């Protein structure tokens, strides 16, 4: 009897382009310039190092084009909320116990009025990953409780999961720090817009119960990177802590990348 090598799958999400939008009080998520390049570097690294084939890699990217109102990618390949959730679930269904799963997100982190008032209170906030279409009608964030549930489903299937977040947690960010446009991967505001209160991940009560179980050993709800409970059953690599920033820089004088991803993909 021969031992089979576990399969290896990857979900890579990079967002340079955010559809033009204005949130309440005139806020908006600026376009970024290094996130898609991050994903391309990681894809190359995974192919060269682990011999991953295209059918083992799922990519969702939004790249700026000559049209300021439209990205290069077709709708089915964009990192919208719907597509991100669908690809998480697709990967979970495809992978088998002990398969390795690598997830890499390069884009904005944000904060929004909670849709989990029973858990966080009416004045509570949700930390979130910010899809490229966040300014469109009925658009949604991928919120902290949803991401935690998606990961829990992978862990429950006994997948070996590594998550890399090359984005900022905005909760510790101060508004008086001067930065170049598109240099810091966070929105330094709270989005109070009324948004859909349902979830494509799971019913809200199930999401809240999963979150409470994940944090049951803490007196307070403790999160890392301002987004997720202390990892249980998976590995989390984050670009910064809750009071720090995830920066983009120009490396080698040519291309802008996230600092974490640039050095990570060199190893």
């Amino acid at each position: 009897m021969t031992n089979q090598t576990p399969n290896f799958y990857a979900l890579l999400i990079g967002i340079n382009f955010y559809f033009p939008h204005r949130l309440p009080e005139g806020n908006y998520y600026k376009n970024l310039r290094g996130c898609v390049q991050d994903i391309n570097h990681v894809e190359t690294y995974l192919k060269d190092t682990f011999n991953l084939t295209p059918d083992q890699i799922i990519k969702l990217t939004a790249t700026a084009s000559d049209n300021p109102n439209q990205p290069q990618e077709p709708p089915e390949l964009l990192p919208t909320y719907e597509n991100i959730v669908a690809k998480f679930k697709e990967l979970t269904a495809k992978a088998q116990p002990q398969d390795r799963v690598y997830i890499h997100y390069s884009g904005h982190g944000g904060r929004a009025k909670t849709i989990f008032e029973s858990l966080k209170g009416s004045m509570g906030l949700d930390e979130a990953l910010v899809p490229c279409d966040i300014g469109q009608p009925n658009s949604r964030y991928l919120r902290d409780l949803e991401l935690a549930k998606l990961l829990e489903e992978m862990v429950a299937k006994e997948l070996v999961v590594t998550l890399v977040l090359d984005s900022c947690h905005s909760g510790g960010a101060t508004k008086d720090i001067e930065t170049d446009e598109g240099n810091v991967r966070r929105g330094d505001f709270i989005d109070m817009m009324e948004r859909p209160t349902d979830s494509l991940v799971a019913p809200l009560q199930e999401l809240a119960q999963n979150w409470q179980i994940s944090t049951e050993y803490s007196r307070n709800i403790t999160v890392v990177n301002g987004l997720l409970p202390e990892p249980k059953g998976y590995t989390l690599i984050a670009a910064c802590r809750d009071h720090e920033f995830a920066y983009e820089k120009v490396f080698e004088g040519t291309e802008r990348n996230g600092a974490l991803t640039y050095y990570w993909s060199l190893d």
Side-chain angles (χ1 to χ4, degrees):
M1 181 177 178
T2 58
N3 292 325
Q4 286 187 317
T5 301
N7 287 324
F8 193 163
Y9 299 99
L11 173 57
L12 310 179
I13 303 168
I15 310 175
N16 281 354
F17 174 91
Y18 283 85
F19 283 94
H21 61 283
R22 286 284 174 180
L23 301 176
E25 301 180 358
N27 296 312
Y28 69 101
Y29 290 101
K30 299 176 181 179
N31 282 351
L32 296 166
R33 290 175 284 175
C35 298
V36 175
Q37 293 91 311
D38 285 352
I39 293 310
N40 292 337
H41 280 299
V42 171
E43 181 182 26
T44 298
Y45 174 80
L46 293 173
K47 288 180 176 178
D48 292 347
T49 306
F50 299 101
N51 297 316
L52 264 64
T53 59
D55 64 332
Q56 293 173 285
I57 299 175
I58 298 173
K59 284 178 62 177
L60 296 173
T61 57
T63 310
S65 67
D66 293 335
N67 182 347
N69 297 312
Q70 192 67 36
Q72 294 182 21
E73 293 84 353
E76 66 271 16
L77 298 181
L78 289 174
T80 62
Y81 170 86
E82 290 80 6
N83 287 347
I84 293 172
V85 172
K87 295 307 180 183
F88 261 96
K89 289 184 173 290
E90 176 185 324
L91 192 52
T92 302
K94 178 190 297 186
Q96 298 302 310
Q98 303 310 311
D99 284 352
R100 290 177 289 176
V101 173
Y102 178 87
I103 305 161
H104 195 113
Y105 173 83
S106 288
H108 275 301
R111 291 185 296 171
K113 178 183 177 182
T114 188
I115 62 172
F116 304 98
E117 291 190 3
S118 63
L119 180 65
K120 298 186 178 184
S122 60
M123 300 301 293
L125 301 176
D126 294 333
E127 305 294 339
L129 304 183
V130 186
C132 66
D133 61 338
I134 195 61
Q136 296 185 351
N138 297 318
S139 59
R140 290 178 273 194
Y141 291 92
L142 183 62
R143 298 173 187 261
D144 42 16
L145 274 70
E146 295 178 299
L147 181 57
K149 178 61 176 177
L150 290 169
L151 293 168
E152 189 275 333
E153 290 175 348
M154 290 183 166
V155 171
K157 197 173 178 180
E158 299 182 5
L159 307 183
V160 182
V161 180
T162 299
L163 171 65
V164 177
L165 295 175
D166 200 344
S167 61
C168 281
H169 157 57
S170 60
T174 56
K175 295 185 179 181
D176 58 352
I177 294 180
E178 296 183 0
T179 59
D180 295 332
E181 181 172 348
N183 190 41
V184 177
R185 295 178 175 181
R186 59 98 175 94
D188 54 3
F189 53 83
I190 298 171
D191 183 359
M192 299 302 292
M193 180 182 291
E194 295 294 334
R195 296 186 180 274
T197 56
D198 62 330
S199 169
L200 296 182
V201 176
L204 297 194
Q205 184 177 3
E206 184 177 337
L207 295 174
Q209 289 174 345
N210 179 68
W211 185 266
Q212 289 174 312
I213 292 171
S214 299
T215 58
E216 66 183 351
Y217 297 110
S218 300
R219 177 173 298 179
N220 299 309
I221 293 179
T222 302
V223 295
V224 294
N225 194 41
L227 184 64
L228 289 164
E230 193 69 27
K232 296 178 182 178
Y234 66 93
T235 300
L236 171 64
I237 299 170
C240 58
R241 292 176 291 182
D242 59 1
H243 61 284
E244 298 173 331
F245 297 94
Y247 282 98
E248 292 187 349
K249 296 291 184 182
V250 175
F251 292 92
E252 302 178 10
T254 56
E255 184 179 87
R256 183 176 290 270
N257 299 105
L260 168 65
T261 302
Y262 177 80
Y263 291 108
W264 178 250
S265 60
L266 285 181
D267 291 339

